[in-house]
Amino acid sequence: MEGEFMRLRAMAKINLGLDVLRKREDGYHEVRMIMQTIQMYDLLDIRKKEEPEISLSTNLPYVPSDERNLVYKAAKVMQEKYHLSNGFAIKLQKNIPAAAGLAGGSADCAATLTAINTICDLGLSKEELCQVGVTLGADVPFCIMQGTMLAEGIGEILTPLPDLPPLWALLIKPHISVSTPYVYGEIDKQNIVTRPDTNAVIDAIKRKDPVGIAQKLCNVLELVTIPEYPVLAQIKEFLLQNGSIGALMSGSGPTTYGLFQDEILANFAY
């Protein structure tokens, strides 16, 4: 960072478990999930401007650069909430695939809130940033905190868990975009028989037992997404047959990942 310029990595996430408990009156879903930051990221460059305008440019022509983008929205919210007279020039380099179950948009939003807090000397704690973040998206608080977390409520009630033992994740995203609202709408119609054993995953994390974690990976949203896109079941099977100790769809999909204890095996599968 130099003066009033900052470059931040906006880190992607995967789910080690995802359970949908119920639909709330406000339309949100009550969830219980384990989220994990991974070493895949977008790059966010942000510079403070004297003029009040917010400008956003991206490396991808189809990514919106106005209010439809969570980065722009986050800058606007911070400007209004904290009565900032200055604007921001923001450049976003997208590497995390969109609509992929990896929280790319939420990660960009979290990085924007964090950067503005720093370059404008607002002195907000991470918890205070999370209170702003949850108004922009349910995954934003996790993307601010990062690491390994149990997420409850709509995703905003976060309990830190111990770091995972070293593991490699191979992510495969077929050329499919999945609508999160559609998947959550359809899950309400499902009779969910097998639910994630979230406590068993937490226990395996605390014991630093990667095989125990991998054997208990479970995401109820697979009940909706996999029947729509059977290729995801084939990807899981491929990963498991090629050295992965566990495989799961992340979020509402379609990205499906395998966990590997060995980097050579992960590269071989890749």
Side-chain angles (χ1 to χ4, degrees):
M1 190 181 81
E2 52 160 273
E4 299 183 327
F5 168 81
M6 197 169 183
R7 168 172 282 189
L8 270 184
R9 291 177 174 186
M11 312 299 289
K13 65 87 187 162
I14 54 174
N15 293 90
L16 302 173
L18 198 165
D19 199 2
V20 179
L21 306 180
R22 67 183 183 95
K23 188 172 185 181
R24 308 189 330 174
E25 317 280 288
D26 60 8
Y28 280 103
H29 286 79
E30 198 87 21
V31 294
R32 192 162 190 252
M33 52 191 179
I34 299 174
M35 299 169 88
Q36 174 63 48
T37 303
I38 58 170
Q39 293 298 318
M40 171 190 274
Y41 52 86
D42 293 341
L43 272 180
L44 184 97
D45 286 351
I46 182 163
R47 189 180 297 280
K48 202 157 107 174
K49 300 196 301 186
E50 281 184 28
E51 316 77 52
E53 292 82 31
I54 296 164
S55 64
L56 170 64
S57 62
T58 74
N59 59 323
L60 299 174
Y62 55 83
V63 173
S65 56
D66 53 19
E67 283 91 347
R68 292 168 297 162
N69 192 305
L70 275 174
V71 167
Y72 190 101
K73 214 177 268 189
K76 194 87 184 142
V77 164
M78 291 294 271
Q79 209 180 36
E80 288 169 0
K81 188 173 174 65
Y82 298 103
H83 312 293
L84 304 174
S85 57
N86 58 280
F88 304 97
I90 308 169
K91 276 187 186 170
L92 176 64
Q93 184 183 318
K94 287 294 295 172
N95 304 309
I96 305 168
L102 300 171
S106 297
D108 299 338
C109 179
T112 306
L113 297 176
T114 302
I116 290 173
N117 182 39
T118 303
I119 62 177
C120 294
D121 295 320
L122 297 177
L124 303 171
S125 67
K126 279 192 171 184
E127 288 70 22
E128 288 170 311
L129 281 179
C130 286
Q131 285 165 16
V132 180
V134 76
T135 66
L136 293 157
D139 285 345
V140 177
F142 169 77
C143 292
I144 290 168
M145 301 301 284
Q146 300 183 5
T148 310
M149 294 266 179
L150 171 67
E152 295 172 291
I154 61 168
E156 87 288 15
I157 302 166
L158 297 170
T159 307
L161 296 169
D163 291 341
L164 289 194
L167 287 167
W168 285 264
L170 171 58
L171 281 67
I172 300 177
K173 184 201 174 284
H175 292 290
I176 298 162
S177 286
V178 174
S179 159
T180 300
Y182 169 78
V183 173
Y184 273 93
E186 289 297 305
I187 199 70
D188 297 330
K189 304 172 190 172
Q190 298 283 333
N191 176 26
I192 303 171
V193 182
T194 308
R195 287 200 172 273
D197 191 345
T198 308
N199 290 342
V201 180
I202 292 169
D203 183 53
I205 290 170
K206 287 178 176 171
R207 286 186 285 109
K208 299 226 174 281
D209 172 12
V211 175
I213 296 165
Q215 284 173 346
K216 293 289 182 184
L217 296 177
C218 186
N219 177 352
V220 293
L221 299 182
E222 288 188 341
L223 292 171
V224 175
T225 311
I226 288 180
E228 289 270 327
Y229 304 105
V231 68
L232 302 184
Q234 293 166 23
I235 291 170
K236 282 183 77 172
E237 191 54 36
F238 166 81
L239 287 162
L240 292 168
Q241 286 178 357
N242 284 276
S244 166
I245 55 171
L248 194 69
M249 181 183 85
S250 185
S252 51
T255 302
T256 302
Y257 69 87
L259 292 180
F260 293 79
Q261 285 182 284
D262 185 298
E263 190 180 6
I264 293 167
L265 273 179
N267 277 316
F268 180 72
Y270 172 71

